[in-house]
Amino acid sequence: MAEKGPSRQRRGRPRQAEVARLAGVSQTTVSLVLGGNKQGIALHEDTRARVLAAARELGYVPDPAARRLAAARNNLLGVFSFTATFPTAVEHSYYPILVGVEQEAAAQGYDLVLFTGSSPGGAQAGDPGALNRVRLADGCLFLGRHVPDDQLRKLVADGYPAVHIGRRDELEGLAWVGADYVAASAEVVRRLSGLGHRRIVLVREDDDAPASTDREHGFRTALAEYAGPRAADDPSAVVRTTHPADDITPGWVRDRLAEGVTAFVAEETDSGAAWRALHAAVAAAGLDVPDDLSLALLGSPPADLAAARPPTGFDIPRAELGAAAVRMLTAQLSGEEHTEPLVACGFRAGSTAGPPPGRTG
Amino acid sequence: MAEKGPSRQRRGRPRQAEVARLAGVSQTTVSLVLGGNKQGIALHEDTRARVLAAARELGYVPDPAARRLAAARNNLLGVFSFTATFPTAVEHSYYPILVGVEQEAAAQGYDLVLFTGSSPGGAQAGDPGALNRVRLADGCLFLGRHVPDDQLRKLVADGYPAVHIGRRDELEGLAWVGADYVAASAEVVRRLSGLGHRRIVLVREDDDAPASTDREHGFRTALAEYAGPRAADDPSAVVRTTHPADDITPGWVRDRLAEGVTAFVAEETDSGAAWRALHAAVAAAGLDVPDDLSLALLGSPPADLAAARPPTGFDIPRAELGAAAVRMLTAQLSGEEHTEPLVACGFRAGSTAGPPPGRTG
DNA sequence: GCCCGAAGCTAATGCGCATTAGTCGAGGGA
DNA sequence: TCCCTCGACTAATGCGCATTAGCTTCGGGC
C-alpha cells in the first residue's frame, strides 16, 4: 500500500511540528506564536523570534482545514437558489444581489458556497434531502420563492442559521430580509397624486407572491390617503394580468383613459411582462408619455428596455439587500438575533410621469 | 465554564457520532456506510439501511474540514478570483465562466467554494496569506490576471492542484486553459481579407497581457498570409491605445482611410474601450459601417453595446472555458495530467464587415 | 529556609472524520 | 473437543491545529 494514499499534495508542506523542531520548542509554542497568542501566555521575545524565523525558513503556511476543524466553524456561508442552474444571465435579477452578498461576505471574512437545484449528490428538485447539503456551510442564504417549505422548516427547526432573501413571513422562525415594497409603492403613488393624478390603475401579475401583494398594499394605502378608504377598496383600481399579458391592449388603455384614468402603474416581475405590455399598448395606441398619460414602474425596467427613457418608479437596492442578508446571517452566527429586515427602495424620478392632460374631470 | 460542546450541537449540524447513536452502531460503521465502504469490510444490509435512514433523518452532511483533514479530500473545488467574482461593473464579468464551472463541477460531483480575494474594504485585502484559504478545497481555479504570483507559485510548488483560467505561461508548472485567441483572431482577418480588404489596422490596448498579445499574434499571422511577412511586421498595422482611448478620433479614422485602410479590428478588453472608441469615432466622422469601412471585434461587445448591430468577430466560449477548466482540474486530482488547454472561439459573422468601398488601392 | 507567585514553557486533549487494527461469536474441519 | 476462518462489527489512532491544564525554574517576602 502506498502510505500516503490519495494525498498528492502533501509533498513537503511543513507542519507546526517541524517548525517547532527547527526552533527548538514545542508545537504548542509554535501555535501560540503564529496564532498571535490571544490567550496572553507569557512568551520570551527571543523564542517568538526564533519561531518566526523557523516558520519563514520552512515556508510554513497553516492548513485551513485543520484550523477550521479546531475552531469548530469553517467560515463558509451557503447561497442556495432553487433554480436549475445558477442564475445564468447577468441581467437576471438575482445577479445584483449576489454582488452584495459577495462583498459583504468578503468584508466579514467568509467564503461562499454556491448551491443550486442541480448541485451534486443527485439532489434534484424532487429530492426530499436536497436542502441538507447546505449544512456544509455555517449558515445559508436562500433565494427565490420556490424553496421547498418543509425542508427549509426542518433546517430552521434544527437551529440552522438561515436567512431568506425576500419576505417570507409564513414560515415561522425563518429570518428574512426584503425590500420595503409597501413604502416604496406608496411613495410612487403619492408622487403621481402630487402631480395631479386622481385615477390611477395598478397592473400586476396574477401571482400572490409577497412581492406582488406588498406592492398592491402600498398602492392601495396611498390611494386611500388622497381618495379615501373607498378608493382603496375599488376593485377596478387594480388589474391582474396573465403571462403573457394579452389583455393589456391599446383598446384597453384607451378605454381606461376614457374612464378618467390618467396614470398606470405596473409592477416589476422577473419577466417584466406587465411593464412591457403596458409600454407596447401605449405605443401602439399612438399615445404620448407623459403628455397623454403617465406611467410608473414599481421596480426596475427589464434589461432590454433599460436603454429607453427611465421609468418613474423606484429602484430595488439589490446589492444592499444581499449585504443586509449576509449581515443578518452573521449576526445569527454570533448569537445576536434581530437586525432590521426591511431595506428601503429609493424613488426614481424618471421621465414617464408628468401632470395629467388638461382637466378631464 | 460555558458548555461549548452541547451549544454547538444544538446549532444543528449532526455529527457521525449522533447518527451512530440513532442507528445503534459505532461511528466507524457510519463512516464506513456513508463513505461507500471502499475497503470492502463486511456489513450487513440491515445495518447499512439503518445508518442511511438515521443519516437522512438527522440531515447529516459531512464536515468538509474534517473530511479534508482526515482523508485529504472533500469534494470541494475552489474558485478564486482576485477581483470580485460578481463585479459591480457588469461589463467585465466572470459570470458566464462561472456558469460553465458550476455546471461541470456539478456533473462531476463537486461543490464549489468561492474564495473572494480582495474586495473593496475587505478584511484581507493585501494579506500575503490570502491564497492559502483555498487549501480547504481539493483544488482551485484561478481567475483574473492579478492573482499574486508568489503565493500562487507556492501553492503550485506544494503540489496543490490549481488551474488558471486564461493563458498563464510565465508561471512555471501552473496549468491553465484559455481561449484560442491566436486562431480566432487570424480567422477574423482571413474573413476580412476574403472580402477584399488589403489594409487592416488592429486597435489594441497598451497592455501586455497574453489575451492582448495573442490577438495581435493571430492578427499578424493572418496578415502575413495575404500580404507577405513584411506586412506582418509593419508597425503601422497595429495601434496601441490608452485608456481612455482619446487618440481614436474621427480625424484619426479619416486619416487612416486616406492611407488606404479599409478595415479596423479592435480587441475586446474588460472595459471595451477600444471598440467603444472606434465606434464613437466612426459615428462622429459620419461614416457608414460597413459601406465606408469595415469593423471587427476580437471578442464580444460590451453589454451596453450588445443591443447595437452585432459586430463581426468571434465569441469567446466562456462557459465552455469554465467547464474545460474544471475538467483539467479534476484530471489533476485523479492523477492524469494533461488536457487540451486551448478552447476554440466561434466566428461570428455579424454585420459590421463587408467588401471595401470601390477600388481605392 | 520555606513558601509563593510569576515567567516561560510543554504535555495532553479534542475538533470530526477515515482508516487500521482488532474483537467476538458462529460455524466448519479434523 | 479444539482451533481456525469468516462475517459483522467496534476500539483506537491520527490528520494539523488551538486550547487548556499543568510543569519547571527563579526571585522575593517573611
Side-chain angles (χ1 to χ4, degrees):
Chain A
M1 284 290 129
E3 34 198 328
K4 297 200 176 169
S7 82
R8 59 201 80 273
Q9 194 226 127
R10 214 159 276 309
R11 231 172 13 221
R13 207 165 73 76
R15 333 266 110 145
Q16 284 188 349
E18 279 137 54
V19 176
R21 212 168 302 140
L22 181 59
V25 297
S26 72
Q27 177 262 321
T28 303
T29 304
V30 174
S31 174
L32 246 27
V33 170
L34 298 181
N37 188 12
K38 298 179 203 308
Q39 38 277 311
I41 291 183
L43 283 176
H44 200 281
E45 179 53 33
D46 295 356
T47 310
R48 226 181 75 83
R50 278 208 328 279
V51 169
L52 255 19
R56 205 169 316 117
E57 177 174 343
L58 294 180
Y60 171 81
V61 288
D63 178 342
R67 203 198 261 284
R68 290 172 185 201
L69 182 57
R73 54 169 19 214
N74 49 38
N75 271 288
L76 252 34
L77 296 186
V79 179
F80 188 101
S81 82
F82 212 75
T83 47
T85 85
F86 224 71
T88 306
V90 165
E91 313 82 62
H92 194 286
S93 57
Y94 287 165
Y95 184 87
I97 297 180
L98 293 176
V99 172
V101 168
E102 186 190 21
Q103 285 188 354
E104 185 66 22
Q108 304 220 16
Y110 284 89
D111 292 316
L112 257 29
V113 186
L114 263 31
F115 300 101
T116 70
S118 69
S119 290
Q124 289 300 337
D127 188 327
L131 275 205
N132 276 329
R133 44 199 355 291
V134 307
R135 292 185 197 249
L136 175 158
D138 289 339
C140 191
L141 261 28
F142 292 89
L143 279 171
R145 23 179 104 156
H146 301 303
V147 180
D149 270 28
D150 45 347
Q151 294 186 49
L152 193 47
R153 203 181 305 274
K154 174 137 177 16
L155 283 178
V156 171
D158 286 352
Y160 182 80
V163 171
H164 192 270
I165 300 185
R167 187 158 71 78
R168 197 76 192 260
D169 286 323
E170 86 291 359
L171 210 159
E172 190 63 37
L174 174 62
W176 56 267
V177 298
D180 192 350
Y181 293 128
V182 177
S185 300
E187 176 64 14
V188 169
V189 172
R190 269 180 218 117
R191 300 282 185 139
L192 290 174
S193 145
L195 286 169
H197 296 274
R198 284 299 168 265
R199 293 208 52 188
I200 307 173
V201 168
L202 167 66
V203 180
R204 59 168 287 190
E205 289 200 11
D206 191 21
D207 177 341
D208 285 308
S212 291
T213 51
D214 281 3
R215 284 176 169 95
E216 176 168 343
H217 181 204
F219 175 81
R220 289 192 183 274
T221 301
L223 231 54
E225 290 170 10
Y226 70 83
R230 246 174 314 147
D233 292 336
D234 179 5
S236 74
V238 174
V239 174
R240 283 179 178 244
T241 184
T242 49
H243 184 65
D246 297 324
D247 36 0
I248 308 298
T249 61
W252 178 85
V253 171
R254 261 195 287 261
D255 288 351
R256 297 291 83 67
L257 293 186
E259 290 170 13
V261 172
T262 55
F264 294 86
V265 175
E267 86 167 305
E268 176 198 354
T269 60
D270 290 350
S271 61
W275 179 249
R276 207 183 299 273
L278 205 48
H279 228 255
V282 168
L287 293 164
D288 183 77
V289 174
D291 285 347
D292 298 330
L293 78 171
S294 289
L295 296 181
L297 174 62
L298 303 181
S300 311
D304 56 322
L305 296 184
R309 64 166 63 192
T312 299
F314 61 78
D315 291 311
I316 303 169
R318 297 189 206 271
E320 175 51 30
L321 209 53
V326 170
R327 279 194 296 273
M328 184 171 281
L329 189 54
T330 56
Q332 270 190 51
L333 287 173
S334 58
E336 320 145 39
E337 277 305 314
H338 288 298
T339 334
E340 172 57 35
L342 284 181
V343 176
C345 303
F347 178 76
R348 176 188 59 230
S351 58
T352 58
R359 300 284 104 155
T360 328
Chain B
M1 208 140 294
E3 32 164 13
K4 23 154 99 167
S7 80
R8 295 239 187 272
Q9 284 180 26
R10 260 169 252 288
R11 291 226 176 278
R13 221 170 216 273
R15 328 264 106 134
Q16 284 188 349
E18 279 137 53
V19 176
R21 214 168 300 139
L22 181 60
V25 297
S26 71
Q27 177 263 320
T28 302
T29 305
V30 174
S31 174
L32 246 27
V33 170
L34 299 181
N37 188 12
K38 299 181 203 308
Q39 37 275 311
I41 291 182
L43 282 177
H44 200 279
E45 178 53 33
D46 294 358
T47 310
R48 227 182 75 83
R50 280 209 324 282
V51 168
L52 254 19
R56 206 169 315 119
E57 177 173 345
L58 294 181
Y60 171 80
V61 167
D63 178 337
R67 211 178 173 60
R68 178 121 180 97
L69 187 56
R73 62 174 305 149
N74 57 13
N75 269 32
L76 247 39
L77 294 186
V79 177
F80 187 101
S81 60
F82 207 67
T83 55
T85 306
F86 302 113
T88 325
V90 166
E91 65 261 18
H92 123 247
S93 175
Y94 292 139
Y95 200 71
I97 298 180
L98 191 60
V99 171
V101 169
E102 204 270 329
Q103 285 183 353
E104 184 66 21
Q108 304 217 18
Y110 285 89
D111 278 320
L112 245 39
V113 187
L114 244 50
F115 295 99
T116 301
S118 67
S119 68
Q124 47 237 340
D127 181 339
L131 271 205
N132 286 324
R133 304 191 341 275
V134 307
R135 293 184 197 257
L136 176 66
D138 289 345
C140 191
L141 262 28
F142 293 87
L143 281 170
R145 31 179 100 152
H146 301 303
V147 180
D149 270 28
D150 45 347
Q151 294 188 49
L152 191 48
R153 202 181 305 273
K154 174 98 169 78
L155 283 177
V156 171
D158 286 347
Y160 182 81
V163 171
H164 192 269
I165 299 184
R167 188 157 72 78
R168 196 75 191 260
D169 286 321
E170 87 289 1
L171 209 159
E172 189 64 36
L174 175 62
W176 55 267
V177 298
D180 191 351
Y181 294 128
V182 177
S185 299
E187 177 63 16
V188 168
V189 172
R190 269 179 219 120
R191 301 281 185 139
L192 289 173
S193 146
L195 285 168
H197 295 275
R198 285 297 167 268
R199 293 210 50 189
I200 308 173
V201 168
L202 168 67
V203 180
R204 60 167 287 190
E205 289 199 12
D206 191 20
D207 178 340
D208 285 309
S212 292
T213 50
D214 282 1
R215 284 177 169 94
E216 176 167 344
H217 180 205
F219 174 81
R220 288 192 185 275
T221 301
L223 231 54
E225 290 170 12
Y226 71 83
R230 246 174 315 144
D233 291 336
D234 179 4
S236 73
V238 174
V239 174
R240 284 179 177 243
T241 184
T242 49
H243 184 67
D246 297 323
D247 34 1
I248 307 299
T249 60
W252 179 86
V253 171
R254 259 194 290 260
D255 288 350
R256 296 293 83 67
L257 293 185
E259 291 170 14
V261 172
T262 56
F264 294 86
V265 175
E267 85 167 306
E268 176 197 355
T269 60
D270 291 351
S271 61
W275 179 249
R276 207 185 298 275
L278 205 48
H279 227 255
V282 167
L287 293 164
D288 183 76
V289 174
D291 285 347
D292 297 330
L293 78 172
S294 289
L295 295 182
L297 175 62
L298 303 181
S300 311
D304 56 322
L305 296 183
R309 65 166 64 190
T312 298
F314 60 79
D315 291 309
I316 302 168
R318 296 188 204 271
E320 175 51 30
L321 209 53
V326 170
R327 282 193 295 271
M328 182 171 284
L329 188 55
T330 56
Q332 268 190 53
L333 287 173
S334 58
E336 319 145 39
E337 277 303 315
H338 287 299
T339 332
E340 172 56 36
L342 284 180
V343 176
C345 303
F347 178 75
R348 178 187 58 231
S351 57
T352 59
R359 300 281 105 155
T360 328

